[in-house]
Amino acid sequence: MNNSFVHLEYSSSHPGVERFERVVNAAGGLRKGFTATRGLAGVLLAAMVATLVVVADQLMDTWADGHLMAVWVLMWLIGFAALALLAPAARGLAGRVMQGLDAWSQGIARRRADERLWDLARKDSRVMADIRAAATRAESGAVGEAVNETAVRVVNYQAAGRIARLTGRIWNE
């Protein structure tokens, strides 16, 4: 007698949650197509075209006495020509600006990492000894040949310039 009128088969997912997940995934897809460089290029292009159209409007106001339709067509022609001609320049300028900002932020991150390592070296004599040993090896030219495990933990060999700055601070203070 296993006949039961109670069915305990429930759905394992909620329709509202499924809809929300689809919306979040769609928003993530929209974000992937938008880069900061494209946005900056659009803003720069709009600024260049607006400036050119304002200048052209000021010039045309002085000599367009009653030819309002001709001036209007000429303004649109100048606007579209400016869009076509200035788009590559705006894109290139935006790319250079973004590369400069990326390099600037990476430099700040490196300086902060150097300062944290320097503060740690001031507090911990083992770290200071590792930095001095790495600097000594860097001066002798044997950085890649004889690397001990403690120096590998502390010293990033891609940042030999930072080590040189730190060692200069160590012995100059």
Side-chain angles (χ1 to χ4, degrees):
M1 192 125 201
N2 201 2
N3 290 339
S4 174
F5 64 89
V6 177
H7 298 287
L8 298 177
E9 297 172 8
Y10 295 110
S11 175
S12 62
S13 64
H14 190 277
V17 172
E18 289 177 359
R19 279 193 307 267
F20 181 72
E21 287 176 349
R22 283 195 303 263
V23 167
V24 168
N25 289 336
L30 288 174
R31 187 179 50 111
K32 289 179 186 175
F34 181 76
T35 62
T37 305
R38 290 178 73 189
L40 182 60
V43 169
L44 288 173
L45 181 62
M48 286 188 244
V49 170
T51 303
L52 188 63
V53 167
V54 166
V55 168
D57 182 49
Q58 293 295 324
L59 289 175
M60 283 187 235
D61 269 350
T62 59
W63 59 266
D65 292 332
H67 307 287
L68 205 53
M69 182 66 174
V71 171
W72 184 78
V73 169
L74 189 59
M75 286 296 295
W76 276 104
L77 182 68
I78 289 172
F80 285 125
L83 280 173
L85 295 175
L86 295 177
R91 217 174 289 123
L93 179 63
R96 287 191 302 274
V97 166
M98 292 306 293
Q99 286 176 352
L101 289 173
D102 287 343
W104 175 72
S105 64
Q106 287 173 357
I108 287 176
R110 279 191 208 107
R111 282 192 293 277
R112 286 181 182 164
D114 286 346
E115 291 301 321
R116 283 194 305 267
L117 181 62
W118 178 241
D119 288 340
L120 180 64
R122 283 184 173 173
K123 295 174 185 171
D124 192 355
S125 61
R126 296 172 297 175
V127 175
M128 184 69 77
D130 287 341
I131 291 174
R132 285 183 179 157
T136 304
R137 279 193 305 275
E139 289 174 358
S140 69
V143 173
E145 299 168 10
V147 177
N148 62 18
E149 186 141 345
T150 57
V152 170
R153 275 187 295 124
V154 175
V155 180
N156 182 359
Y157 290 105
Q158 296 173 349
R162 288 186 276 166
I163 293 172
R165 288 193 308 270
L166 283 174
T167 56
R169 288 185 198 160
I170 290 170
W171 287 307
N172 289 336
E173 287 187 357

